[in-house]
Amino acid sequence: MSTEYGADQIQILEGLEAVRKRPGMYIGSTSSRGLHHLVYEIVDNSVDEALAGVCDHIDVTINADNSVTVIDNGRGIPVGINHKAGIPAVEVVFTVLHAGGKFGGGGYKVSGGLHGVGASVVNALSEWLEVTIYHEGKVYRQRYERGKAIYKLKIIGDCEPDKTGTMVTFLPDKEIFEETVFDYDILKQRFREMAFLTKGLKISLHDLRPETPVTREFHYEGGIKEFVTYLNRSKTALYPEIIYCEGEKDGVAVEVAMQHNDSYTENTYGFVNNITTPEGGTHVMGFRNALTKTFNDYARKNKLLKDTEKLAGEDIREGLTAIISVKIEEPQFEGQTKQKLGNSEARSAVDSVVSSQLEIFLEQNPTVAKIVVEKSVLAQRARDAARKARDLTRRKSALEGMSLPGKLADCTDKDPKNCEIYIVEGDSAGGSAKTARSRATQAILPLRGKILNVEKARLDKIYGNAEIKAMITAFGTGIHEDFDITKLRYHKIIIMTDADVDGAHIATLMLTFLYRFMPELIRQGYVYLAQPPLYKIEKNKKVWYAYSDAELNRILTEIGRDGNNKIQRYKGLGEMDADQLWETTMDPARRVLLRVTMDEEASSELDLTFTTLMGDKVEPRREFIEENALNVKNLDI
Ligand code: TSJ
């Protein structure tokens, strides 16, 4: 088959009415997530042009009216007549469902990937959409409203003969979307990632809505090598080099970059056609296999290990940050959420590219090899020690029955659905909470001071930590391979800390532990943050509580700002007596809880959220806590 794209090669499938009737079928949802997918759908087409080597700049603008403009300097969508449809190819692209996805043969396409439903779906779900094409000295334009062309493709003017490209502007339909306001930060995150994944491509993002417009530019000549540097930016790297492998096998283009840092957790992110695969898949398995095999072979050959010794994969990956990016023509996604790559040729391609190039890298960089092997040996020892400690506690609990931690004031109800556990910072606040609680359904577990930072400790130390042991036994689920969510003893795990920077830090330490050791609790929505008030306002024997400065102002405006107001600023939970704590923070009828969530699609950023907070570098941590504290959703309960 010819790799030349012709106007008549687009397969015509079906009309757009179906898209407007059941938008969720095509873009997943009509919430904020679906709204942002519209932008990705359009931009993916320009990224394909960049992957074809004929486009190096994509410019995205959120306009003042909340429409979005995407401009690229590629070849321009073809304007010639598509013979099957009898209309210009560009019109087919925007009005025929699934057009543009498969041109058959020739190059990788991110727009045909997981989300690739095409420009016609965006068009169908937009109040209006305008496309402008620069081609051979002419400027072409067509406008659509709710998917229908309102005039034929026309020439609206001339341009310089060597200027080529495509510009698309669309306004999401308010009849379709629950949310129609674009979030600059969400787009920024995604475009940064896209720029890392497509080296050399410049992506500019402008937001024209604020009084002072904002602009960001993402352009990485080093591609995923710079991605790894970025992910490790608040950590300490174990060596300055970024290990990099690139190659092609059986139609799979493979790119891998990695570097170890001094933490104990692995951060491996897989991408297929620029789309993240939170559940991994064959490409990640191929990578892991190659890593384990190559390091073991090297270590044995260079006498860093005895012939009988063997490094385990997880020990080699301790503290590893890695990006595995594959491009494949027909990706098969598996698993419940279709986020796991299934193609077996991806496994062997990644395995073979990484094995051969990593071997050469290690031969040429013996210092790096030695650092990693030595770290892996230490990791292995710590893991053995941890296993022994765990076996001991397992045996103990089998003999003595599950003994709950002494500091836990448990609730009397035994149905987990009704039960909540408050994890409270400090013994004194714990005392008030014990007095205040509703004994039937609310359990209290006081923790002493700052809990262990699990990002900075190996497993043996983590399992030996009293606060962490108390949480694990109180929850009842066990951890790692023993984790069983059906054994969870409370359906609400509520973290209650002071409403100040220290409190936010302690809450984050706890969330880091939960995220690393029991992510399923967060995924299933069992984890919450309590919201203690910041102020108490008293006037003429009446009392109000304010949970933010804005609320304080609202209340003061309502009751009048005069000398009779008594305002108390709470510095900690300990300043409230039990009744106040109950009224403001624990009474299910009156309290505000924030549910902790994680956005799996933005996984590399989420991880960063935690690691920035927990790393050694103090400044980003402070900024982060004060700006937005945590990834939490407000709940009306
Ligand atoms: F999605 C879309 F259609 F709306 C859209 C497509 C939006 C934007 C902003 C850009 C694009 C786009 C499409 N940019 N560049 C292209 N290129 C082609 O469609 C194209 C041009 C020439 C040839 C060729 O073989 O000559 C092949 C293709 C796919």
Side-chain angles (χ1 to χ4, degrees), residues 3-6 41-50 52 54-55 58-59 69-78 90 93-94 100 103 109 111 118-120 122 129 131 135 165-169:
T3 54
E4 277 258 323
Y5 170 91
E41 287 299 337
I42 296 296
V43 171
D44 278 354
N45 291 276
S46 300
V47 173
D48 286 345
E49 198 72 350
V54 289
C55 161
I58 302 173
D59 189 285
T69 299
V70 180
I71 306 171
D72 72 38
N73 64 350
R75 293 165 293 185
I77 308 175
V90 50
V93 166
F94 281 103
F103 297 125
K109 288 184 174 55
S111 61
S120 59
V122 178
L129 181 148
V131 56
H135 184 68
T166 305
M167 169 164 79
V168 170
T169 302

